[in-house]
Amino acid sequence: MVAHQKAVGIVGCGAIAQVLLRAGENRDLPFRFSGVCSRTEAKARTFLKTLAHVPPPLLDLPALIACSDLIVETAGAHVVPVLARLAFEAGKDLMVISVGALLEHPEVIEHARRTGCRLIVPSGAIAGLDGIKGACMGRVDFVRLTSRKPPRALEGAPYLTARGLSVLGLAEERELFRGSAREACKGFPDNLNVSAAISLAGIGPDLTEVRIIAAPGLERNCHDIEVEGEFGRLAVHIENIPSQNPRTGRLTALSILRSIIDASSTVRIGT
């Protein structure tokens, strides 16, 4: 007997969604793409036509939810509250990429718990969430994240705009922010989903410490995670090559793909 192949719908058709859809052409996956929903329909149709195989249909949101088992959000934090409500009310699971939205809208997490639907947060651009989750079963003294990014990846962030700051033309490294993960996600919503994921896996958004540094000449998005507690010490260093979008590393899309595979498979390695 062949097991049911999970139907996966994608909301958004930007750089991350396009990597996921192209992956369906290049490998045998334990799920199928049921459709795509995008507010920029013309651009989405243009991309879908470039796929070698028969592309998934472009659908409106209610139709996408109806024909999918798992909805994957790649469209930005602004869609998460409404998307979560519609998905969970329809009894569907949801994978959220814009993790910072969960700090602004904790009711999404509670809604998932009430309905019994799964709310999945992939590791994205970082590693070590499994270690942080395990460590936080005991006493943890601190969780710290230091992110170094090229200035072009940080330019235009609300934190900088509100202060009339530009980081283009910097001659040397500059620390732009030091504070909590909650504050980091508000100030740099397109850059610090990693801090939201770390905080949710660990000691929470108000206790997780974050530093953001603009580094001229840097070609990669770099993250250093430090955790110390009764278990010992954990240190993780990641250097991500940016994708088409300089704010997003290539590892993000690969992590999302792996998370969809895990959600669709009967065998899963790691936590």
Side-chain angles (χ1 to χ4, degrees), residues 250-270:
R250 295 184 187 181
L251 181 59
T252 301
L254 297 173
S255 169
I256 294 165
L257 179 61
R258 180 73 239 189
S259 295
I260 299 173
I261 291 172
D262 286 346
S264 308
S265 302
T266 54
V267 177
R268 178 174 176 175
I269 309 300

Side-chain angles (χ1 to χ4, degrees), residues 64-82:
L64 183 76
I65 291 173
C67 71
S68 303
D69 302 307
L70 170 66
I71 313 299
V72 179
E73 171 273 314
T74 71
H78 64 285
V79 309
V80 171
V82 172

Side-chain angles (χ1 to χ4, degrees), residues 22-142:
R22 289 213 182 277
E25 297 185 303
N26 302 325
R27 64 186 78 191
D28 185 23
L29 299 172
F31 62 87
R32 62 181 178 84
F33 289 113
S34 52
V36 176
C37 175
S38 175
R39 62 185 176 85
T40 54
E41 289 191 18
K43 290 183 179 179
R45 289 188 191 280
T46 298
F47 168 74
L48 291 172
K49 289 178 181 177
T50 69
L51 297 177
H53 302 306
V54 177
L58 189 61
L59 304 171
D60 62 23
L61 188 55
L64 183 76
I65 291 173
C67 71
S68 303
D69 302 307
L70 170 66
I71 313 299
V72 179
E73 171 273 314
T74 71
H78 64 285
V79 309
V80 171
V82 172
L83 176 60
R85 177 176 58 80
L86 294 174
F88 295 154
E89 287 178 355
K92 305 302 177 71
D93 296 334
L94 174 66
M95 182 176 292
V96 171
I97 312 310
S98 306
V99 193
L102 301 181
L103 304 189
E104 288 290 305
H105 299 278
E107 70 274 10
V108 171
I109 297 174
E110 293 306 315
H111 196 173
R113 288 173 175 155
R114 287 198 311 273
T115 59
C117 296
R118 287 193 300 169
L119 174 61
I120 302 169
V121 176
S123 296
I126 55 171
L129 287 188
D130 52 348
I132 295 172
K133 288 163 63 178
C136 288
M137 295 302 292
R139 190 197 77 250
V140 167
D141 300 321
F142 63 79

